[in-house]
Short mmCIF file of all heavy atoms in Angstrom, two decimals:
data_model
loop_
_atom_site.label_atom_id
_atom_site.label_comp_id
_atom_site.label_asym_id
_atom_site.label_seq_id
_atom_site.Cartn_x
_atom_site.Cartn_y
_atom_site.Cartn_z
N THR L 52 6.36 -3.88 -3.70
CA THR L 52 6.20 -4.34 -2.29
C THR L 52 6.18 -5.87 -2.21
O THR L 52 6.63 -6.44 -1.22
CB THR L 52 4.89 -3.73 -1.72
OG1 THR L 52 4.87 -3.91 -0.34
CG2 THR L 52 3.62 -4.39 -2.29
N TRP L 53 5.77 -6.52 -3.28
CA TRP L 53 5.72 -8.01 -3.28
C TRP L 53 7.09 -8.61 -3.56
O TRP L 53 7.27 -9.83 -3.46
CB TRP L 53 4.69 -8.50 -4.31
CG TRP L 53 3.32 -7.95 -3.95
CD1 TRP L 53 2.66 -6.93 -4.59
CD2 TRP L 53 2.51 -8.31 -2.82
NE1 TRP L 53 1.47 -6.69 -3.97
CE2 TRP L 53 1.36 -7.49 -2.87
CE3 TRP L 53 2.61 -9.24 -1.79
CZ2 TRP L 53 0.33 -7.58 -1.93
CZ3 TRP L 53 1.61 -9.32 -0.85
CH2 TRP L 53 0.50 -8.51 -0.93
N ASN L 56 8.89 -7.41 0.30
CA ASN L 56 8.43 -8.13 1.44
C ASN L 56 8.42 -9.62 1.18
O ASN L 56 7.78 -10.07 0.23
CB ASN L 56 7.01 -7.68 1.83
CG ASN L 56 6.98 -6.32 2.49
OD1 ASN L 56 7.28 -6.20 3.68
ND2 ASN L 56 6.70 -5.30 1.71
N TYR L 58 8.50 -11.81 4.11
CA TYR L 58 8.41 -12.39 5.46
C TYR L 58 7.51 -13.65 5.47
O TYR L 58 6.59 -13.81 4.66
CB TYR L 58 7.89 -11.33 6.44
CG TYR L 58 6.53 -10.71 6.15
CD1 TYR L 58 5.36 -11.40 6.48
CD2 TYR L 58 6.42 -9.46 5.61
CE1 TYR L 58 4.11 -10.82 6.24
CE2 TYR L 58 5.19 -8.89 5.35
CZ TYR L 58 4.02 -9.57 5.67
OH TYR L 58 2.81 -9.01 5.43
N LEU L 61 3.53 -14.10 4.46
CA LEU L 61 3.10 -12.99 3.59
C LEU L 61 2.03 -13.44 2.60
O LEU L 61 2.23 -14.38 1.82
CB LEU L 61 4.28 -12.44 2.79
CG LEU L 61 3.96 -11.40 1.75
CD1 LEU L 61 3.48 -10.11 2.37
CD2 LEU L 61 5.18 -11.13 0.86
N HIS L 62 0.88 -12.78 2.68
CA HIS L 62 -0.12 -12.98 1.65
C HIS L 62 -0.93 -11.69 1.59
O HIS L 62 -0.78 -10.79 2.40
CB HIS L 62 -1.02 -14.20 1.96
CG HIS L 62 -1.82 -14.02 3.22
ND1 HIS L 62 -1.36 -14.45 4.45
CD2 HIS L 62 -3.02 -13.48 3.46
CE1 HIS L 62 -2.23 -14.16 5.39
NE2 HIS L 62 -3.28 -13.56 4.79
N CYS L 63 -1.76 -11.59 0.56
CA CYS L 63 -2.55 -10.37 0.41
C CYS L 63 -3.88 -10.55 1.14
O CYS L 63 -4.49 -11.63 1.04
CB CYS L 63 -2.81 -10.14 -1.06
SG CYS L 63 -3.68 -8.56 -1.31
N ASP L 64 -4.29 -9.54 1.87
CA ASP L 64 -5.57 -9.69 2.54
C ASP L 64 -6.72 -9.12 1.74
O ASP L 64 -7.82 -8.92 2.24
CB ASP L 64 -5.53 -9.16 4.00
CG ASP L 64 -5.16 -7.71 4.10
OD1 ASP L 64 -5.20 -7.01 3.05
OD2 ASP L 64 -4.86 -7.24 5.21
N PHE L 65 -6.46 -8.88 0.45
CA PHE L 65 -7.59 -8.67 -0.50
C PHE L 65 -7.72 -9.95 -1.31
O PHE L 65 -6.70 -10.58 -1.67
CB PHE L 65 -7.26 -7.53 -1.48
CG PHE L 65 -7.51 -6.17 -0.87
CD1 PHE L 65 -6.48 -5.50 -0.24
CD2 PHE L 65 -8.79 -5.60 -0.86
CE1 PHE L 65 -6.68 -4.29 0.36
CE2 PHE L 65 -8.99 -4.39 -0.28
CZ PHE L 65 -7.95 -3.72 0.37
N TYR L 70 -7.80 -8.73 -6.40
CA TYR L 70 -6.48 -8.13 -6.44
C TYR L 70 -5.76 -8.59 -7.69
O TYR L 70 -4.81 -9.36 -7.66
CB TYR L 70 -5.69 -8.50 -5.17
CG TYR L 70 -4.46 -7.62 -4.94
CD1 TYR L 70 -4.57 -6.36 -4.37
CD2 TYR L 70 -3.20 -8.07 -5.32
CE1 TYR L 70 -3.46 -5.58 -4.14
CE2 TYR L 70 -2.07 -7.28 -5.11
CZ TYR L 70 -2.23 -6.02 -4.52
OH TYR L 70 -1.10 -5.24 -4.33
N PHE L 84 -6.93 -15.84 -0.63
CA PHE L 84 -5.95 -14.77 -0.40
C PHE L 84 -4.58 -15.38 -0.67
O PHE L 84 -4.07 -16.16 0.10
CB PHE L 84 -6.01 -14.29 1.07
CG PHE L 84 -7.34 -13.77 1.49
CD1 PHE L 84 -8.21 -14.56 2.23
CD2 PHE L 84 -7.75 -12.50 1.14
CE1 PHE L 84 -9.46 -14.10 2.60
CE2 PHE L 84 -9.01 -12.01 1.53
CZ PHE L 84 -9.85 -12.82 2.24
N SER L 85 -4.01 -15.03 -1.82
CA SER L 85 -2.84 -15.80 -2.28
C SER L 85 -1.55 -15.29 -1.63
O SER L 85 -1.45 -14.16 -1.20
CB SER L 85 -2.74 -15.71 -3.79
OG SER L 85 -3.82 -16.42 -4.35
N ILE L 90 1.88 -13.54 -6.01
CA ILE L 90 1.41 -12.23 -6.48
C ILE L 90 2.54 -11.52 -7.24
O ILE L 90 2.35 -10.96 -8.32
CB ILE L 90 0.89 -11.37 -5.31
CG1 ILE L 90 -0.31 -12.06 -4.66
CG2 ILE L 90 0.53 -9.97 -5.75
CD1 ILE L 90 -0.71 -11.47 -3.34
N PHE L 144 3.73 3.81 -1.65
CA PHE L 144 4.00 4.74 -0.57
C PHE L 144 4.40 4.04 0.71
O PHE L 144 4.97 4.66 1.62
CB PHE L 144 2.75 5.68 -0.31
CG PHE L 144 1.51 4.92 0.05
CD1 PHE L 144 1.12 4.84 1.37
CD2 PHE L 144 0.78 4.26 -0.89
CE1 PHE L 144 0.00 4.12 1.73
CE2 PHE L 144 -0.34 3.53 -0.57
CZ PHE L 144 -0.75 3.47 0.75
N LEU L 145 4.20 2.73 0.82
CA LEU L 145 4.65 2.04 2.03
C LEU L 145 5.90 1.24 1.66
O LEU L 145 5.84 0.00 1.54
CB LEU L 145 3.52 1.09 2.52
CG LEU L 145 2.27 1.78 3.03
CD1 LEU L 145 1.20 0.74 3.45
CD2 LEU L 145 2.55 2.69 4.23
N ARG L 149 9.94 1.88 8.66
CA ARG L 149 10.04 2.74 9.84
C ARG L 149 10.62 1.93 10.99
O ARG L 149 10.07 0.89 11.37
CB ARG L 149 8.60 3.22 10.19
CG ARG L 149 8.58 4.30 11.23
CD ARG L 149 7.15 4.74 11.45
NE ARG L 149 6.89 6.03 10.83
CZ ARG L 149 5.69 6.57 10.80
NH1 ARG L 149 4.64 5.94 11.27
NH2 ARG L 149 5.51 7.77 10.27
N TYR L 150 11.78 2.40 11.46
CA TYR L 150 12.43 1.70 12.57
C TYR L 150 12.00 2.40 13.87
O TYR L 150 11.97 3.62 13.92
CB TYR L 150 13.95 1.72 12.37
CG TYR L 150 14.40 0.81 11.25
CD1 TYR L 150 14.39 1.23 9.92
CD2 TYR L 150 14.72 -0.52 11.50
CE1 TYR L 150 14.74 0.39 8.87
CE2 TYR L 150 15.10 -1.37 10.47
CZ TYR L 150 15.09 -0.91 9.19
OH TYR L 150 15.44 -1.77 8.14
N PRO L 151 11.70 1.63 14.88
CA PRO L 151 11.20 2.26 16.11
C PRO L 151 12.33 2.98 16.84
O PRO L 151 13.50 2.54 16.82
CB PRO L 151 10.73 1.06 16.94
CG PRO L 151 11.52 -0.09 16.44
CD PRO L 151 11.83 0.13 15.01
N ASP L 152 11.96 4.06 17.52
CA ASP L 152 12.96 4.82 18.27
C ASP L 152 13.08 4.27 19.70
O ASP L 152 12.93 4.97 20.68
CB ASP L 152 12.60 6.32 18.28
CG ASP L 152 11.19 6.51 18.82
OD1 ASP L 152 10.47 5.50 19.04
OD2 ASP L 152 10.75 7.70 18.97
N ILE L 153 13.33 2.95 19.77
CA ILE L 153 13.45 2.29 21.11
C ILE L 153 14.91 2.40 21.54
O ILE L 153 15.79 2.05 20.76
CB ILE L 153 13.00 0.82 21.01
CG1 ILE L 153 11.55 0.73 20.52
CG2 ILE L 153 13.20 0.12 22.36
CD1 ILE L 153 11.09 -0.72 20.23
N HIS L 165 14.01 -5.60 10.04
CA HIS L 165 12.64 -5.14 9.77
C HIS L 165 11.96 -6.21 8.90
O HIS L 165 12.61 -6.90 8.09
CB HIS L 165 12.68 -3.82 9.03
CG HIS L 165 11.35 -3.15 8.91
ND1 HIS L 165 10.47 -3.43 7.91
CD2 HIS L 165 10.78 -2.15 9.66
CE1 HIS L 165 9.38 -2.68 8.06
NE2 HIS L 165 9.54 -1.89 9.09
N THR L 166 10.64 -6.32 9.01
CA THR L 166 9.91 -7.37 8.23
C THR L 166 10.12 -7.16 6.70
O THR L 166 10.07 -8.15 5.97
CB THR L 166 8.41 -7.30 8.55
OG1 THR L 166 7.97 -5.93 8.52
CG2 THR L 166 8.09 -7.94 9.86
N VAL L 183 8.15 -7.09 17.30
CA VAL L 183 7.59 -5.80 17.78
C VAL L 183 6.50 -5.37 16.81
O VAL L 183 6.74 -5.22 15.63
CB VAL L 183 8.70 -4.73 17.84
CG1 VAL L 183 8.10 -3.41 18.38
CG2 VAL L 183 9.87 -5.18 18.69
N GLY L 184 5.29 -5.19 17.33
CA GLY L 184 4.19 -4.71 16.47
C GLY L 184 3.08 -5.71 16.40
O GLY L 184 3.27 -6.93 16.57
N THR L 185 1.85 -5.20 16.13
CA THR L 185 0.67 -6.05 15.98
C THR L 185 -0.22 -5.55 14.84
O THR L 185 -1.43 -5.69 14.91
CB THR L 185 -0.15 -6.13 17.29
OG1 THR L 185 -0.32 -4.83 17.79
CG2 THR L 185 0.51 -7.00 18.33
N GLY L 186 0.41 -4.98 13.79
CA GLY L 186 -0.38 -4.53 12.64
C GLY L 186 -0.62 -5.66 11.65
O GLY L 186 -0.45 -6.85 12.01
N SER L 187 -1.01 -5.31 10.44
CA SER L 187 -1.35 -6.35 9.42
C SER L 187 -0.16 -7.23 9.18
O SER L 187 -0.31 -8.46 9.01
CB SER L 187 -1.74 -5.66 8.11
OG SER L 187 -2.83 -4.83 8.29
N THR L 188 1.06 -6.67 9.13
CA THR L 188 2.24 -7.49 8.86
C THR L 188 2.51 -8.44 10.02
O THR L 188 2.67 -9.64 9.84
CB THR L 188 3.48 -6.57 8.66
OG1 THR L 188 3.21 -5.70 7.55
CG2 THR L 188 4.72 -7.38 8.39
N ALA L 189 2.57 -7.86 11.25
CA ALA L 189 2.88 -8.68 12.40
C ALA L 189 1.93 -9.87 12.58
O ALA L 189 2.34 -10.99 12.89
CB ALA L 189 2.90 -7.83 13.65
N THR L 190 0.63 -9.63 12.36
CA THR L 190 -0.33 -10.70 12.56
C THR L 190 -0.08 -11.87 11.57
O THR L 190 -0.24 -13.05 11.93
CB THR L 190 -1.79 -10.19 12.44
OG1 THR L 190 -1.86 -9.40 11.28
CG2 THR L 190 -2.19 -9.38 13.62
N GLN L 191 0.35 -11.52 10.36
CA GLN L 191 0.66 -12.60 9.39
C GLN L 191 1.89 -13.38 9.85
O GLN L 191 1.94 -14.58 9.71
CB GLN L 191 0.88 -12.00 8.00
CG GLN L 191 -0.42 -11.39 7.41
CD GLN L 191 -0.26 -10.97 5.95
OE1 GLN L 191 0.81 -10.90 5.38
NE2 GLN L 191 -1.40 -10.61 5.34
N PHE L 206 5.43 -8.19 21.09
CA PHE L 206 5.38 -6.93 21.86
C PHE L 206 4.31 -6.03 21.28
O PHE L 206 4.44 -5.51 20.18
CB PHE L 206 6.76 -6.23 21.84
CG PHE L 206 7.83 -7.07 22.50
CD1 PHE L 206 8.63 -7.93 21.74
CD2 PHE L 206 7.98 -7.07 23.87
CE1 PHE L 206 9.59 -8.70 22.36
CE2 PHE L 206 8.95 -7.85 24.51
CZ PHE L 206 9.76 -8.69 23.74
N GLN L 207 3.24 -5.88 22.05
CA GLN L 207 2.09 -5.11 21.57
C GLN L 207 2.00 -3.77 22.25
O GLN L 207 1.95 -3.70 23.47
CB GLN L 207 0.79 -5.90 21.84
CG GLN L 207 -0.49 -5.15 21.61
CD GLN L 207 -1.73 -5.85 22.06
OE1 GLN L 207 -2.28 -6.68 21.35
NE2 GLN L 207 -2.18 -5.57 23.27
N ARG L 208 2.02 -2.68 21.47
CA ARG L 208 1.84 -1.37 22.05
C ARG L 208 0.35 -1.02 22.11
O ARG L 208 -0.15 -0.49 23.09
CB ARG L 208 2.62 -0.31 21.25
CG ARG L 208 2.63 1.06 21.90
CD ARG L 208 3.64 1.96 21.25
NE ARG L 208 3.34 2.31 19.87
CZ ARG L 208 4.12 3.11 19.12
NH1 ARG L 208 5.19 3.66 19.64
NH2 ARG L 208 3.80 3.38 17.87
N THR L 209 -0.34 -1.32 21.01
CA THR L 209 -1.79 -1.05 20.92
C THR L 209 -2.51 -2.28 20.35
O THR L 209 -2.07 -2.77 19.30
CB THR L 209 -2.03 0.15 19.97
OG1 THR L 209 -1.11 1.19 20.26
CG2 THR L 209 -3.45 0.66 20.08
N PRO L 210 -3.56 -2.76 20.99
CA PRO L 210 -4.28 -3.90 20.38
C PRO L 210 -4.98 -3.50 19.11
O PRO L 210 -5.26 -2.32 18.89
CB PRO L 210 -5.33 -4.28 21.47
CG PRO L 210 -5.08 -3.38 22.62
CD PRO L 210 -4.15 -2.29 22.24
N GLN L 211 -5.24 -4.46 18.27
CA GLN L 211 -5.92 -4.23 16.96
C GLN L 211 -7.24 -4.95 16.97
O GLN L 211 -7.34 -6.06 17.52
CB GLN L 211 -5.07 -4.84 15.84
CG GLN L 211 -3.77 -4.12 15.58
CD GLN L 211 -3.91 -3.03 14.56
OE1 GLN L 211 -5.01 -2.76 14.04
NE2 GLN L 211 -2.81 -2.38 14.25
N TYR L 290 -10.57 1.63 21.11
CA TYR L 290 -11.01 2.60 20.08
C TYR L 290 -11.96 1.88 19.12
O TYR L 290 -12.11 0.65 19.21
CB TYR L 290 -9.77 3.15 19.32
CG TYR L 290 -8.92 2.07 18.71
CD1 TYR L 290 -9.18 1.53 17.47
CD2 TYR L 290 -7.82 1.53 19.43
CE1 TYR L 290 -8.44 0.52 16.93
CE2 TYR L 290 -7.07 0.51 18.90
CZ TYR L 290 -7.36 0.00 17.62
OH TYR L 290 -6.62 -1.02 17.11
N LYS L 295 -8.02 2.35 12.95
CA LYS L 295 -6.76 1.94 12.34
C LYS L 295 -7.10 1.08 11.12
O LYS L 295 -8.22 0.53 11.05
CB LYS L 295 -5.93 1.10 13.29
CG LYS L 295 -5.20 1.87 14.37
CD LYS L 295 -4.59 0.84 15.33
CE LYS L 295 -3.79 1.51 16.44
NZ LYS L 295 -2.45 1.90 16.06
N ARG L 296 -6.16 0.89 10.26
CA ARG L 296 -6.38 0.00 9.11
C ARG L 296 -6.76 -1.38 9.64
O ARG L 296 -6.04 -1.96 10.44
CB ARG L 296 -5.11 -0.06 8.27
CG ARG L 296 -5.33 -0.54 6.85
CD ARG L 296 -5.21 -2.03 6.72
NE ARG L 296 -5.09 -2.42 5.32
CZ ARG L 296 -5.06 -3.66 4.92
NH1 ARG L 296 -5.12 -4.65 5.80
NH2 ARG L 296 -4.95 -3.97 3.66
N LEU L 297 -7.92 -1.89 9.18
CA LEU L 297 -8.45 -3.13 9.72
C LEU L 297 -7.51 -4.31 9.44
O LEU L 297 -7.03 -4.44 8.32
CB LEU L 297 -9.80 -3.40 9.08
CG LEU L 297 -10.64 -4.52 9.67
CD1 LEU L 297 -11.01 -4.27 11.13
CD2 LEU L 297 -11.90 -4.72 8.87
N VAL L 298 -7.25 -5.10 10.48
CA VAL L 298 -6.45 -6.32 10.30
C VAL L 298 -7.39 -7.46 9.97
O VAL L 298 -8.43 -7.61 10.63
CB VAL L 298 -5.64 -6.61 11.57
CG1 VAL L 298 -4.98 -7.98 11.47
CG2 VAL L 298 -4.61 -5.53 11.83
N MET L 299 -7.04 -8.19 8.96
CA MET L 299 -7.90 -9.35 8.54
C MET L 299 -7.05 -10.60 8.61
O MET L 299 -5.95 -10.63 8.07
CB MET L 299 -8.41 -9.11 7.15
CG MET L 299 -9.40 -7.96 7.09
SD MET L 299 -9.83 -7.44 5.44
CE MET L 299 -8.65 -6.14 5.19
N LYS L 318 5.37 -1.95 28.50
CA LYS L 318 6.11 -1.05 27.60
C LYS L 318 7.56 -1.48 27.43
O LYS L 318 8.18 -1.87 28.43
CB LYS L 318 6.01 0.39 28.12
CG LYS L 318 6.53 1.43 27.18
CD LYS L 318 6.27 2.81 27.81
CE LYS L 318 6.65 3.96 26.91
NZ LYS L 318 8.00 4.07 26.50
N ILE L 319 8.02 -1.46 26.20
CA ILE L 319 9.44 -1.78 26.00
C ILE L 319 10.26 -0.60 26.57
O ILE L 319 10.04 0.57 26.19
CB ILE L 319 9.78 -1.95 24.51
CG1 ILE L 319 8.97 -3.12 23.91
CG2 ILE L 319 11.28 -2.15 24.31
CD1 ILE L 319 9.18 -3.34 22.42
N LEU L 342 11.29 -6.54 13.63
CA LEU L 342 10.58 -5.27 13.76
C LEU L 342 9.46 -5.21 12.72
O LEU L 342 9.74 -5.04 11.54
CB LEU L 342 11.57 -4.11 13.60
CG LEU L 342 12.82 -4.15 14.46
CD1 LEU L 342 13.81 -3.11 14.05
CD2 LEU L 342 12.45 -4.04 15.93
N ALA L 343 8.24 -5.36 13.19
CA ALA L 343 7.07 -5.25 12.28
C ALA L 343 6.46 -3.88 12.54
O ALA L 343 5.27 -3.78 12.86
CB ALA L 343 6.09 -6.37 12.57
N THR L 344 7.29 -2.88 12.42
CA THR L 344 6.88 -1.53 12.89
C THR L 344 6.45 -0.60 11.74
O THR L 344 6.37 0.59 11.91
CB THR L 344 8.04 -0.90 13.69
OG1 THR L 344 9.28 -1.12 12.98
CG2 THR L 344 8.16 -1.54 15.07
N GLY L 345 6.19 -1.17 10.58
CA GLY L 345 5.54 -0.41 9.53
C GLY L 345 6.49 0.45 8.70
O GLY L 345 7.70 0.20 8.65
N PHE L 346 5.87 1.44 8.03
CA PHE L 346 6.57 2.22 7.02
C PHE L 346 6.29 3.70 7.24
O PHE L 346 5.34 4.06 7.91
CB PHE L 346 6.06 1.80 5.64
CG PHE L 346 6.28 0.33 5.39
CD1 PHE L 346 5.33 -0.61 5.81
CD2 PHE L 346 7.42 -0.12 4.77
CE1 PHE L 346 5.55 -1.99 5.60
CE2 PHE L 346 7.67 -1.47 4.57
CZ PHE L 346 6.70 -2.40 4.98
N PRO L 348 4.57 6.45 5.84
CA PRO L 348 3.51 6.51 4.80
C PRO L 348 3.59 7.80 3.98
O PRO L 348 2.85 7.94 3.01
CB PRO L 348 2.22 6.44 5.62
CG PRO L 348 2.61 7.02 6.94
CD PRO L 348 4.05 6.71 7.17
N VAL L 397 -6.61 5.07 -0.10
CA VAL L 397 -5.92 3.85 0.30
C VAL L 397 -6.50 3.35 1.62
O VAL L 397 -7.30 4.05 2.26
CB VAL L 397 -4.42 4.13 0.49
CG1 VAL L 397 -3.81 4.52 -0.85
CG2 VAL L 397 -4.14 5.18 1.52
N GLY L 398 -6.07 2.17 2.02
CA GLY L 398 -6.54 1.66 3.33
C GLY L 398 -7.24 0.33 3.08
O GLY L 398 -6.58 -0.67 2.90
N ASN L 399 -8.57 0.34 3.12
CA ASN L 399 -9.27 -0.89 2.91
C ASN L 399 -9.90 -0.96 1.51
O ASN L 399 -10.88 -1.67 1.29
CB ASN L 399 -10.29 -1.14 4.02
CG ASN L 399 -9.58 -1.42 5.34
OD1 ASN L 399 -9.50 -0.57 6.20
ND2 ASN L 399 -9.05 -2.61 5.49
N ARG L 456 -4.54 6.36 17.21
CA ARG L 456 -3.46 6.93 16.36
C ARG L 456 -3.09 5.88 15.32
O ARG L 456 -3.03 4.69 15.63
CB ARG L 456 -2.21 7.26 17.21
CG ARG L 456 -2.32 8.57 17.98
CD ARG L 456 -0.97 9.17 18.25
NE ARG L 456 -0.25 9.52 17.03
CZ ARG L 456 -0.47 10.63 16.33
NH1 ARG L 456 -1.34 11.51 16.72
NH2 ARG L 456 0.22 10.87 15.24
N SER L 457 -2.86 6.30 14.08
CA SER L 457 -2.55 5.33 13.05
C SER L 457 -1.63 5.96 12.02
O SER L 457 -1.43 7.17 12.01
CB SER L 457 -3.81 4.83 12.38
OG SER L 457 -4.26 5.83 11.48
N TRP L 458 -1.16 5.12 11.10
CA TRP L 458 -0.28 5.64 10.03
C TRP L 458 -1.07 6.46 9.02
O TRP L 458 -0.46 7.10 8.16
CB TRP L 458 0.53 4.54 9.37
CG TRP L 458 -0.18 3.47 8.60
CD1 TRP L 458 -0.45 2.19 9.03
CD2 TRP L 458 -0.74 3.53 7.27
NE1 TRP L 458 -1.13 1.47 8.07
CE2 TRP L 458 -1.30 2.27 6.96
CE3 TRP L 458 -0.84 4.55 6.31
CZ2 TRP L 458 -1.92 2.01 5.75
CZ3 TRP L 458 -1.44 4.27 5.09
CH2 TRP L 458 -1.99 3.00 4.84
N TYR L 459 -2.40 6.52 9.14
CA TYR L 459 -3.21 7.33 8.25
C TYR L 459 -3.04 8.83 8.57
O TYR L 459 -3.37 9.69 7.75
CB TYR L 459 -4.70 7.03 8.45
CG TYR L 459 -5.18 5.67 7.98
CD1 TYR L 459 -6.41 5.19 8.42
CD2 TYR L 459 -4.45 4.91 7.08
CE1 TYR L 459 -6.91 3.97 7.96
CE2 TYR L 459 -4.96 3.69 6.62
CZ TYR L 459 -6.16 3.23 7.06
OH TYR L 459 -6.65 2.03 6.61
P1 NAP E 1 1.61 -0.76 10.89
O1 NAP E 1 0.19 -1.04 10.64
O2 NAP E 1 2.06 0.65 10.88
O3 NAP E 1 1.93 -1.45 12.31
C1 NAP E 1 3.15 -1.17 12.98
C2 NAP E 1 3.08 -1.84 14.33
O4 NAP E 1 4.28 -1.58 15.03
C3 NAP E 1 1.95 -1.35 15.21
O5 NAP E 1 1.48 -2.37 15.99
C4 NAP E 1 2.67 -0.28 16.06
O6 NAP E 1 2.03 -0.03 17.28
C5 NAP E 1 3.99 -0.98 16.29
N1 NAP E 1 5.06 -0.08 16.64
C6 NAP E 1 5.60 0.92 15.87
N2 NAP E 1 6.54 1.56 16.56
C7 NAP E 1 6.62 0.96 17.78
C8 NAP E 1 7.41 1.18 18.92
N3 NAP E 1 8.35 2.17 18.97
N4 NAP E 1 7.24 0.39 20.00
C9 NAP E 1 6.32 -0.60 19.97
N5 NAP E 1 5.52 -0.85 18.90
C10 NAP E 1 5.69 -0.07 17.85
O7 NAP E 1 2.59 -1.56 9.89
P2 NAP E 1 2.34 -2.90 9.07
O8 NAP E 1 1.77 -3.92 9.93
O9 NAP E 1 3.63 -3.18 8.35
O10 NAP E 1 1.23 -2.49 8.05
C11 NAP E 1 1.30 -1.28 7.31
C12 NAP E 1 0.27 -1.36 6.20
O11 NAP E 1 0.76 -2.18 5.16
C13 NAP E 1 -1.03 -1.99 6.60
O12 NAP E 1 -1.86 -1.19 7.38
C14 NAP E 1 -1.58 -2.32 5.24
O13 NAP E 1 -2.14 -1.18 4.62
C15 NAP E 1 -0.34 -2.73 4.48
N6 NAP E 1 -0.24 -4.21 4.56
C16 NAP E 1 -1.06 -4.89 3.75
C17 NAP E 1 -1.04 -6.24 3.74
C18 NAP E 1 -1.96 -6.95 2.86
O14 NAP E 1 -2.11 -8.13 3.01
N7 NAP E 1 -2.65 -6.30 1.94
C19 NAP E 1 -0.14 -6.96 4.60
C20 NAP E 1 0.70 -6.21 5.41
C21 NAP E 1 0.65 -4.84 5.37
P3 NAP E 1 0.88 1.11 17.40
O15 NAP E 1 -0.36 0.52 16.84
O16 NAP E 1 0.82 1.44 18.82
O17 NAP E 1 1.37 2.28 16.58
#
Side-chain angles (χ1 to χ4, degrees):
T52 194
W53 300 107
N56 286 280
Y58 58 80
L61 172 68
H62 64 269
C63 185
D64 60 13
F65 280 93
Y70 195 81
F84 302 100
S85 292
I90 297 169
F144 61 101
L145 295 176
R149 190 177 255 174
Y150 288 86
D152 54 355
I153 301 172
H165 190 277
T166 46
V183 182
T185 47
S187 300
T188 300
T190 46
Q191 294 187 350
F206 297 94
Q207 172 187 274
R208 187 167 65 179
T209 314
Q211 290 270 1
Y290 55 86
K295 283 173 177 280
R296 199 270 193 184
L297 189 63
V298 172
M299 292 169 266
K318 188 175 185 298
I319 298 177
L342 308 171
T344 45
F346 301 87
V397 296
N399 291 102
R456 280 206 63 80
S457 76
W458 64 257
Y459 290 164

